[in-house]
């Protein structure tokens, strides 16, 4: 069967189980868009900026477990994808980006909208391909989807010259093998007994669960491991929603803005078990002082990550689900009353979620009340931007449904919140999806309100508006002698902006109006925006100072005298 290259792309995507793509057309990718006319099975979501296409594919992938797909034209269209590609690589999200390219005869001539996107994207992806023959398209796409998903997942880019999209070639798609998790290596199998011994003999152990638990859908194994051992579970930012926050063994998040008690528990632990996490600097603080009393067991699918940031006594290289399944029969339940009593004292004496008393509306008020809302429906998906609102969401929202929190962690891309929420809503059309946005971040991608309206995606937007780049302002205040430079960031009248796109909106300025607004938005069948105007001067705590250790976690001076019970 001879097909045009553009048709081969469409056929190949269908073979890979793709049903939605996020993109924006342009000259070099037009043959593909022409082919889409004959493939109504491929839903296309028209974003207003290509960066949003890659963020939307990211959000879609995280909530579905499938490979996200985004499409752009050559030159600026392709380069606009780069932020989202780098974000997906940093957070291990499987994605395939397809870009148009100038015709083969024009390559290297500085033709209109030509750029060497493969070179540009090479450090932002697992692999890039420049396909120079239509006959190579099907095997290349098959390989790209395989690479995106195998090992540590991540993005792959396929660049296709315009004339290759028009060229005829025989179409035969390579066989797709059934998915099978990689078996454990001999080295990891040998290490399991040593890991179990350390866990069983530990007096002050802790499990730290990261994004790898979600990527491998290993939340059941995490639950079984925690309950089989009685060891408390702490999450990284991207590990949130891998373990129910209401579970008695859950301690919430650790790191730069983690719970005070979580940071101190890790600082005092004698065994730390890192599960699908990288011991990133925002988790460890000063790496040389991380968990100074602990022997560390590190499980990661990527061998180069093990021991990269902190010294590891027992490396476990492999898929989190497979490794934990093999580890669980080797561990045993040990009562550690002194350790658990110490943890309860920390939680009681250092209430990290205490909210300063004030008549003003604070972001903490908003997130605290939103938490009540999501407790009613654990399937609620929350997508955040980057900044203070992101950290308050991570602190105050208790995720009890699995894989329900989406955020840009490794790259920390402002503007992520709205397009990624679009992708999440497309991926989970029956679930409530909330975008927790900052007024700085949303101004980077607010054009996607048009996409939300066009697709009638029932995304609810909680816009935390403090009129500042809040995290930057806090750092300037605390570490740069209060030299506030270029951090006030006036925006439009967000309610009017939302309504201009046909999306109803409301402005909230008082504490008593928070829950009624949240419930009204939740009940609305389509998209809805709430602008919460909050006090700009409130700082985010707990906080590990830059270059500090977890043991030096700073508490909120406005609430540090509080005590629970």
């Amino acid at each position: 069967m001879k097909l045009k290259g553009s048709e081969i792309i469409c056929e190949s995507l269908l073979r890979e189980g793709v049903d939605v793509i996020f993109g924006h057309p342009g000259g070099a990718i037009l043959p593909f868009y022409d082919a889409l006319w004959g493939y109504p099975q491929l839903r296309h979501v028209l974003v207003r900026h290509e960066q949003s296409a890659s963020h939307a594919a990211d959000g879609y992938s995280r909530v579905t477990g499938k490979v996200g797909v985004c499409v752009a034209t050559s030159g600026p269209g392709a380069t606009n994808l780069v932020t989202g590609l780098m974000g997906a690589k940093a957070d291990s999200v499987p994605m395939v980006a397809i870009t148009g390219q100038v015709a083969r005869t024009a390559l290297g001539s500085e033709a209109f909208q030509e750029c060497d996107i493969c070179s540009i994207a090479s450090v932002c992806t697992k692999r890039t391909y420049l396909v120079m023959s239509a006959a190579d398209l099907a095997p290349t796409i098959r390989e790209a989807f395989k690479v995106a998903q195998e090992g540590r997942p991540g993005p792959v880019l396929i660049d296709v010259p315009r004339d290759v999209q028009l060229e005829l070639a025989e179409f035969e798609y390579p066989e797709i093998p059934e998915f099978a998790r990689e078996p454990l290596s001999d080295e990891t199998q040998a290490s399991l007994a040593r890991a179990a011994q350390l866990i069983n003999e530990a007096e002050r152990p802790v499990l730290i669960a990261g994004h790898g638990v979600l990527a491998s859908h290993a939340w059941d194994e995490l639950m079984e491991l925690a309950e089989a051992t009685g060891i408390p579970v702490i999450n990284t930012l991207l590990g949130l929603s891998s373990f129910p926050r209401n579970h008695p063994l859950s301690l919430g998040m650790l790191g730069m803005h983690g719970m005070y008690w979580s940071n101190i528990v890790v600082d005092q632990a004698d065994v730390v078990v890192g599960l699908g996490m990288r011991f990133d600097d925002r988790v460890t603080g000063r790496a040389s002082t991380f968990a100074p009393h602990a022997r560390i067991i590190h499980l990661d699918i990527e061998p180069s990550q093990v021991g990269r940031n902190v010294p590891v006594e027992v490396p476990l290289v492999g898929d989190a689900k497979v490794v934990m399944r093999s580890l669980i029969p080797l561990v045993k339940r040990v009562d550690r009353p002194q350790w658990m009593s110490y943890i309860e004292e920390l939680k009681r004496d250092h209430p990290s979620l205490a909210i300063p008393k004030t008549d003003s509306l604070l972001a903490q008020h908003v997130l605290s009340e939103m938490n009540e809302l999501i407790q009613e429906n654990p399937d609620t998906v929350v997508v955040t931007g980057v900044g203070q609102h992101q950290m308050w969401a991570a602190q105050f929202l208790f995720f009890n449904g699995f894989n329900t929190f989406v955020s840009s962690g490794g790259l920390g891309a402002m503007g992520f919140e709205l397009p990624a929420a679009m992708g999440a809503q497309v991926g989970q059309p029956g679930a409530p999806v909330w975008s927790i946005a900052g007024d700085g971040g949303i101004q980077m991608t607010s054009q996607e309100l048009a996409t939300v309206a066009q697709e009638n995606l029932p995304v609810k937007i909680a816009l935390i508006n403090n009129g500042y780049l809040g995290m930057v302002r806090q750092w300037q205040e605390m570490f740069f002698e209060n030299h506030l430079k270029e951090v006030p960031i006036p925006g439009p009248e967000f309610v009017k902006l939302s309504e201009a796109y046909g999306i109803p909106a409301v402005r909230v300025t008082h504490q008593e109006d928070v829950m009624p607004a949240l419930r009204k938005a939740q009940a609305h069948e389509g998209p809805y925006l709430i602008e919460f105007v909050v006090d700009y001067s409130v700082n985010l705590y707990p906080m590990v100072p830059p270059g500090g250790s977890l043991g030096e976690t700073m508490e909120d001076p406005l609430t540090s005298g509080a005590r629970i019970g």
Side-chain angles (χ1 to χ4, degrees):
M1 180 171 61
K2 279 201 170 185
L3 297 174
K4 292 179 182 178
S6 56
E7 295 169 326
I8 291 174
I9 296 173
C10 294
E11 291 283 353
S12 300
L13 292 177
L14 290 175
R15 299 297 196 282
E16 293 292 342
V18 175
D19 54 10
V20 62
I21 56 180
F22 303 89
H24 195 98
I29 196 67
L30 273 184
F32 169 74
Y33 275 83
D34 185 59
L36 279 179
W37 185 264
Y39 291 88
Q41 314 97 303
L42 291 170
R43 177 184 179 184
H44 182 275
V45 176
L46 176 64
V47 297
R48 272 40 179 187
H49 190 286
E50 293 88 353
Q51 177 183 338
S52 298
S54 49
H55 287 327
D58 183 321
Y60 173 88
S61 175
R62 294 204 209 196
V63 301
T64 63
K66 299 171 66 175
V67 176
V69 179
C70 55
V71 179
T73 192
S74 63
T79 58
N80 282 343
L81 292 176
V82 167
T83 297
L85 292 175
M86 187 65 234
K89 185 181 182 189
D91 290 347
S92 305
V93 178
M95 183 189 300
V96 169
I98 299 171
T99 53
Q101 182 57 274
V102 299
R104 287 170 289 190
T105 53
L107 285 170
S109 68
E110 297 190 9
F112 177 67
Q113 290 192 334
E114 179 193 3
C115 78
D116 183 359
I117 189 60
C118 285
S119 293
I120 293 170
S122 62
V123 295
C124 305
T125 56
K126 291 183 72 177
R127 196 171 301 173
T128 63
Y129 302 88
L130 174 60
V131 184
M132 295 294 282
S133 169
D136 293 333
L137 277 168
T140 299
I141 291 172
R142 169 79 284 267
E143 183 175 321
F145 273 79
K146 178 175 180 288
V147 169
Q149 297 173 88
E150 67 184 0
R152 180 183 176 185
V156 176
L157 181 135
I158 306 170
D159 198 31
V160 189
R162 189 177 192 278
D163 56 331
V164 172
Q165 298 171 51
L166 294 168
E167 184 179 57
L168 288 171
E170 289 289 340
F171 174 69
E172 183 178 349
Y173 204 67
E175 183 179 349
I176 303 175
E178 283 191 29
F179 173 75
R181 298 180 187 273
E182 287 290 324
L184 297 183
S185 67
D186 293 342
E187 292 82 0
T188 294
Q189 288 180 339
S191 296
L192 283 170
R194 178 62 177 146
Q197 180 184 7
L198 286 184
I199 290 169
N200 293 336
E201 294 176 354
E203 296 180 359
R204 303 185 306 279
V206 64
L207 305 176
I208 304 178
H211 190 229
V213 175
L214 293 169
S216 64
H217 291 200
W219 40 79
D220 289 340
E221 286 73 15
L222 174 61
M223 176 82 77
E224 191 174 348
L225 178 62
E227 293 183 340
T229 58
I231 298 176
V233 177
I234 293 174
N235 286 115
T236 66
L237 172 68
L238 293 186
L240 292 172
S241 75
S242 67
F243 192 77
R245 186 63 179 87
N246 286 345
H247 194 285
L249 290 173
S250 175
L251 299 184
M253 187 176 70
L254 87 161
M256 178 169 279
H257 295 292
M259 299 295 93
Y260 179 88
W261 55 78
S262 295
N263 288 352
I264 301 304
V265 163
V266 172
D267 188 68
Q268 294 300 310
D270 63 356
V271 170
V272 169
V273 186
L275 303 168
M277 45 87 72
R278 298 182 291 116
F279 291 105
D280 170 83
D281 62 292
R282 289 297 174 106
V283 163
T284 64
R286 188 167 63 249
S288 62
T289 62
F290 176 77
H293 314 290
R295 305 164 90 171
I296 296 178
I297 302 165
H298 188 191
L299 162 58
D300 199 285
I301 200 166
E302 175 58 51
S304 66
Q305 296 293 334
V306 178
R308 180 179 180 179
N309 296 323
V310 297
V312 171
E313 182 159 336
V314 182
L316 298 172
V317 178
D319 182 283
K321 197 175 188 76
V322 178
V323 175
M324 282 195 280
R325 276 180 183 169
S326 301
L327 179 61
I328 288 166
L330 306 178
V331 297
K332 60 185 180 182
R333 175 107 190 179
V334 177
D335 291 328
R336 303 173 177 90
Q338 189 173 355
W339 180 231
M340 301 308 290
S341 175
Y342 173 69
I343 292 172
E344 289 305 311
E345 287 180 18
L346 282 174
K347 292 165 68 175
R348 183 175 61 248
D349 294 343
H350 303 274
S352 298
L353 298 180
I355 300 175
K357 292 183 178 180
T358 175
D359 292 331
S360 301
L361 178 62
L362 307 183
Q364 297 98 305
H365 293 133
V366 176
L367 276 307
S368 177
E369 299 210 32
M370 179 172 285
N371 187 51
E372 293 183 31
L373 199 67
I374 70 171
Q375 297 308 300
E376 298 170 8
N377 188 344
D379 293 331
T380 301
V381 176
V382 172
V383 185
T384 79
V386 172
Q388 287 179 319
H389 68 280
Q390 174 192 33
M391 295 294 106
W392 275 315
Q395 292 175 352
F396 281 87
L397 300 183
F398 281 32
F399 300 101
N400 296 302
F402 295 118
N403 199 26
T404 51
F405 178 72
V406 177
S407 195
S408 178
L411 188 65
M414 290 177 63
F416 177 83
E417 55 265 68
L418 184 54
M422 296 187 323
Q425 188 73 81
V426 170
Q428 296 282 8
V433 175
W434 280 90
S435 172
I436 312 297
D439 55 311
I442 201 169
Q443 290 188 66
M444 293 186 173
T445 52
S446 63
Q447 71 279 350
E448 299 311 326
L449 290 169
T451 307
V452 170
Q454 179 177 347
E455 296 288 329
N456 193 31
L457 299 173
V459 174
K460 317 304 180 189
I461 304 163
L463 171 58
I464 311 297
N465 183 4
N466 62 6
Y468 276 74
L469 296 171
M471 191 73 87
V472 183
R473 178 205 59 75
Q474 178 170 338
W475 278 51
Q476 288 181 345
E477 176 187 314
M478 296 177 69
F479 310 117
F480 292 90
E481 299 180 350
N482 202 31
H483 294 162
L484 301 187
K485 181 66 175 174
E486 303 301 334
V487 285
I489 185 166
E493 293 192 35
F494 287 105
V495 169
K496 289 184 178 179
L497 178 66
S498 183
E499 290 173 342
Y501 285 109
I503 298 173
V506 66
R507 195 169 195 253
V508 173
T509 59
H510 297 98
Q511 295 178 27
E512 62 269 21
D513 297 327
V514 171
M515 184 56 82
L518 290 172
R519 292 205 176 277
K520 184 175 181 179
Q522 185 76 7
H524 184 69
E525 291 186 358
Y528 200 99
L529 182 145
I530 310 171
E531 178 191 8
F532 293 103
V533 181
V534 301
D535 189 334
Y536 80 92
S537 65
V538 177
N539 286 334
L540 171 65
Y541 291 97
M543 181 176 186
V544 177
S549 70
L550 295 185
E552 297 169 331
T553 301
M554 301 160 56
E555 297 184 81
D556 189 341
L558 299 177
T559 62
S560 59
R563 179 185 168 92
I564 296 176

